[in-house]
Amino acid sequence: MNLFKIITSFLLLLSSLTTSGAGGSYDNSIYKHPLASDQIKDPSMGEIRLMLEEAGLGQYWDTLKYQILPGFYMVPKMTDEADIKLGASKIGGHPDVPSTFHWPSWKEHPMSFVAQINLEEFPMNLLNPEYPTTGILYFFYVYDYEVWYNDDYDSDKKNNNVVYYAPETAELVRMKPPASLSEEQIFKSALLEKKLELTLPDSDYLEANHLMTNKADLNRYSLEFSPDLMNTYDRGIGFRFLGHMSALQYGGHPSDEILLFQADSNDEIGMEWDLSGLLYFFIKDNDFKKLFFENVYTERVGT
């Protein structure tokens, strides 16, 4: 399906969520989404275009509009794991997995459980009707500074993580981590408040994919347009599922890849990715549609 048509359908649905009154009037810059606990301020396509023009970049609209992706911004709420329903989306704690699951490791180092995402909690059809809508995704990564700074680990991007997919959610067990994991390597549990929003690519992404090549325009995009958009609509970095990444040092990647998951540093949870940084999981778009996770790779970036 044409990506622009998907985005257009997404915006029409958001508009219908805000329709009110006998006249059916609405403000499509503020909508009430069933998954959100409060109103989400989000720019419409028209508002994004206007801000782009105000930054002197209006000539790129016909290119940029196809790069705007819906995604989920997620806010962790610290919750005792005993109060978290088996199979619910969460950060940290213990994974709710099939009993046949084997805890992953990199070489002799057991991985830490980062998060699980229950796809049934997310309106996946709003993002792309070809994306999976059921099952649970589990994210694992070694949480050990000594291992991170071993050159072999960071260069082994496709093997230094595990994304496991469980298609059935009826029979799950809350699995304890290996005894060899320290207390610091087991993250505190948190439920997720999910907010659906439109996301835009970083200037590095535009340059890497030859969508914007003029240096002056790239600087205007990164130093004027992007910060203005983030400040106007109070965009956070945080935890993300799909959409575009929150770029810290470099935000470029091939256009056939998507951000699958972004983990933030969080003192309460006990996560610290290279000095208040981020951990990214990337996957090819077609691989996600086919539920193929063997080639997921990671990037860990500090501030």
Side-chain angles (χ1 to χ4, degrees):
M1 179 179 288
N2 182 283
L3 179 58
F4 188 58
K5 289 182 179 179
I6 293 173
I7 295 172
T8 301
S9 299
F10 167 74
L11 289 172
L12 287 173
L13 182 54
L14 293 185
S15 297
S16 70
L17 290 173
T18 59
T19 301
S20 60
S25 61
Y26 62 86
D27 175 3
N28 67 358
S29 67
I30 301 178
Y31 63 90
K32 180 71 175 178
H33 191 275
L35 293 179
S37 62
D38 57 355
Q39 284 191 324
I40 306 167
K41 295 183 178 180
D42 200 86
S44 67
M45 296 287 275
E47 289 165 333
I48 294 173
R49 181 175 186 175
L50 179 60
M51 294 185 73
L52 200 69
E53 291 172 346
E54 290 175 345
L57 299 169
Q59 70 272 28
Y60 292 101
W61 172 248
D62 286 338
T63 297
L64 187 62
K65 66 185 179 183
Y66 295 104
Q67 309 304 320
I68 299 172
L69 299 176
F72 296 96
Y73 174 68
M74 303 181 296
V75 179
K77 292 183 70 69
M78 303 307 298
T79 308
D80 189 300
E81 196 161 38
D83 298 324
I84 298 178
K85 181 181 177 181
L86 199 69
S89 297
K90 63 182 178 181
I91 302 292
H94 303 131
D96 303 327
V97 291
S99 59
T100 55
F101 176 76
H102 295 285
W103 199 280
S105 61
W106 180 79
K107 297 184 177 180
E108 73 277 15
H109 304 284
M111 295 185 181
S112 292
F113 169 61
V114 177
Q116 66 187 36
I117 297 293
N118 189 327
L119 297 177
E120 293 183 13
E121 297 176 10
F122 296 77
M124 299 297 291
N125 62 309
L126 296 186
L127 278 69
N128 190 317
E130 297 182 70
Y131 282 171
T133 58
T134 60
I136 299 178
L137 295 173
Y138 305 84
F139 297 86
F140 292 85
Y141 191 80
V142 173
Y143 192 72
D144 187 323
Y145 276 74
E146 292 185 7
V147 175
W148 289 356
Y149 301 134
N150 178 325
D151 290 340
D152 291 342
Y153 183 76
D154 275 346
S155 62
D156 198 13
K157 297 180 185 299
K158 290 185 178 180
N159 297 308
N160 66 8
N161 74 93
V162 164
V163 176
Y164 176 75
Y165 173 71
E168 300 295 332
T169 61
E171 297 183 9
L172 301 173
V173 296
R174 186 156 288 171
M175 185 170 287
K176 293 183 179 180
S180 55
L181 281 178
S182 68
E183 183 178 353
E184 290 74 21
Q185 293 173 309
I186 303 171
F187 303 121
K188 303 296 188 296
S189 58
L191 284 172
L192 293 167
E193 288 188 351
K194 316 165 189 70
K195 299 185 177 183
L196 183 60
E197 61 185 25
L198 295 179
T199 66
L200 284 88
D202 185 73
S203 60
D204 292 329
Y205 175 94
L206 298 178
E207 184 176 22
N209 292 288
H210 310 291
L211 300 170
M212 186 183 294
T213 57
N214 182 280
K215 292 294 184 182
D217 290 343
L218 286 165
N219 286 335
R220 194 176 295 116
Y221 183 94
S222 63
L223 300 177
E224 185 176 337
F225 168 73
S226 292
D228 191 24
L229 184 76
M230 290 189 69
N231 291 334
T232 301
Y233 295 100
D234 193 24
R235 287 298 177 85
I237 295 177
F239 292 84
R240 290 189 175 276
F241 175 50
L242 302 174
H244 283 291
M245 66 190 292
S246 302
L248 292 182
Q249 295 184 18
Y250 181 73
H253 59 85
S255 60
D256 64 342
E257 298 173 354
I258 59 171
L259 173 73
L260 182 59
F261 185 76
Q262 172 181 297
D264 194 10
S265 293
N266 185 293
D267 289 341
E268 286 187 291
I269 295 171
M271 287 184 181
E272 182 68 35
W273 309 112
D274 280 343
L275 299 176
S276 302
L278 297 170
L279 174 65
Y280 308 105
F281 292 77
F282 292 101
I283 189 172
K284 286 189 179 295
D285 187 57
N286 283 333
D287 283 351
F288 184 47
K289 294 173 183 176
K290 298 174 183 177
L291 294 170
F292 181 74
F293 300 100
E294 295 300 316
N295 291 327
V296 171
Y297 74 93
T298 58
E299 296 283 354
R300 193 186 64 256
V301 180
T303 52

